[in-house]
Amino acid sequence: MGNLFNLDNGFFSFMGKVWDIIVLNLIWLICCLPIVTIGPATSALYYAMVKVIRRERGYAIKEYFHSFKDNLKVGTLSTLVFLVLAWILYVDYNYAQALMKDGSKMGTILISAFNGISIIAAGILAMIFPVLSRFTLGVRGLFKTTFLMAFKHIFTTIGVIVIIAVCGLALYIVIPAILFVPAVCCLICSFLIEKVFKKYMPEPEGTPEETGKDQWYLE
C-alpha cells in the first residue's frame, strides 16, 4: 500500500508527464498567437518534449521558455520566410490556374514547378524547428543545414510529414484535440528526428562528471 501513494511510482510519473504535455501544449498555443512566433514556439515545444518528457531533465515551463528566448530571433525570421513563401505560392498558383483555364501550356508548367517548390518547402518545414532547437545557427545556416539534413534522410522526413498530416487530420475531425495533439505529435516525431540528430552531435570529450555538462541529447 505504501508504494501506491509513492509519488515516484509509475502511475504518478506517467500522470506527471501527461500534465506536462498538456501544459506545454497550452503554452505553445499562446506563444503561437502572434503567428510570426510559430517558429520559436514550435522549436521550444520540441526542445521541452525531448528534454523534459523523454529525457526527464529539468522543468517543463522553465525549459520551454529557455528555448523560446534563445531561438526567438532566428525562429521568428524563419517563420516570416515561410509566410512570405506561402503567400507567393498562393498568388502564383492562382495565376497558373487562370492560365490553365485559358488553355495555356505555361499554366501546366508553372503548376508543376510550384508543386516541386512546395515539396521542398514541406520537407524543410517538417524539420527546421527541431533543428533550430538543437543547433545554434543563423537564418541562412539554418535553412541550408535543414535542407541538407532533410533530404539526406529523406525517409525520416517523409515519416515526419506523414505524422504531422495524420495529426492535422485528427485536429480537423476533433477540434478540441488542439489542446494536446500538437505536443503529442511533436513527441512522436522526436523518435524519428532524434535518431538523425545523434549522427550530427559531436562525440563527448568525457563523462558528465568530468565535463560538468549534462549531455542529455546523446542518450
Side-chain angles (χ1 to χ4, degrees), residues 70-85:
D70 282 353
N71 298 314
L72 180 60
K73 180 180 178 180
V74 175
T76 299
L77 290 174
S78 300
T79 304
L80 286 171
V81 170
F82 280 108
L83 291 174
V84 171
L85 178 61

Side-chain angles (χ1 to χ4, degrees), residues 39-113:
T42 303
S43 178
L45 180 63
Y46 182 89
Y47 178 86
M49 293 301 292
V50 176
K51 185 174 183 178
V52 179
I53 304 302
R54 288 190 57 187
R55 310 302 188 206
E56 299 183 344
R57 301 288 207 280
Y59 299 95
I61 297 176
K62 180 180 178 181
E63 298 297 341
Y64 181 93
F65 282 108
H66 167 73
S67 178
F68 183 83
K69 180 181 178 181
D70 282 353
N71 298 314
L72 180 60
K73 180 180 178 180
V74 175
T76 299
L77 290 174
S78 300
T79 304
L80 286 171
V81 170
F82 280 108
L83 291 174
V84 171
L85 178 61
W87 180 80
I88 291 173
L89 285 174
Y90 173 76
V91 172
D92 288 345
Y93 263 116
N94 288 336
Y95 173 69
Q97 287 177 343
L99 290 177
M100 288 180 64
K101 289 180 180 179
D102 292 337
S104 173
K105 292 183 179 180
M106 181 57 68
T108 303
I109 295 173
L110 289 175
I111 287 291
S112 298

Side-chain angles (χ1 to χ4, degrees), residues 11-211:
F11 174 76
F12 283 109
S13 177
F14 174 75
M15 292 307 296
K17 289 186 178 182
V18 170
W19 174 252
D20 284 340
I21 288 172
I22 294 172
V23 169
L24 287 170
N25 197 98
L26 292 174
I27 295 173
W28 175 79
L29 286 172
I30 293 171
C31 290
C32 283
L33 287 179
I35 305 299
V36 294
T37 55
I38 289 176
T42 303
S43 178
L45 180 63
Y46 182 89
Y47 178 86
M49 293 301 292
V50 176
K51 185 174 183 178
V52 179
I53 304 302
R54 288 190 57 187
R55 310 302 188 206
E56 299 183 344
R57 301 288 207 280
Y59 299 95
I61 297 176
K62 180 180 178 181
E63 298 297 341
Y64 181 93
F65 282 108
H66 167 73
S67 178
F68 183 83
K69 180 181 178 181
D70 282 353
N71 298 314
L72 180 60
K73 180 180 178 180
V74 175
T76 299
L77 290 174
S78 300
T79 304
L80 286 171
V81 170
F82 280 108
L83 291 174
V84 171
L85 178 61
W87 180 80
I88 291 173
L89 285 174
Y90 173 76
V91 172
D92 288 345
Y93 263 116
N94 288 336
Y95 173 69
Q97 287 177 343
L99 290 177
M100 288 180 64
K101 289 180 180 179
D102 292 337
S104 173
K105 292 183 179 180
M106 181 57 68
T108 303
I109 295 173
L110 289 175
I111 287 291
S112 298
F114 298 149
N115 285 338
I117 295 172
S118 297
I119 291 171
I120 294 173
I124 295 174
L125 185 59
M127 298 287 286
I128 193 167
F129 298 123
V131 170
L132 178 60
S133 77
R134 186 60 50 80
F135 303 95
T136 302
L137 298 162
V139 176
R140 181 180 297 180
L142 177 62
F143 274 87
K144 180 180 178 180
T145 300
T146 304
F147 173 81
L148 295 174
M149 194 179 293
F151 290 96
K152 181 177 180 180
H153 305 278
I154 187 65
F155 292 110
T156 295
T157 304
I158 292 172
V160 171
I161 291 173
V162 169
I163 293 169
I164 294 172
V166 170
C167 291
L169 179 61
L171 290 177
Y172 178 77
I173 297 172
V174 185
I175 295 178
I178 189 70
L179 297 176
F180 64 89
V181 165
V184 172
C185 178
C186 202
L187 179 62
I188 296 172
C189 288
S190 75
F191 285 93
L192 297 178
I193 296 172
E194 287 302 305
K195 292 180 180 179
V196 172
F197 282 178
K198 284 184 179 180
K199 298 177 181 179
Y200 296 89
M201 302 307 299
E203 291 293 329
E205 297 178 355
T207 65
E209 291 76 16
E210 295 171 339
T211 62

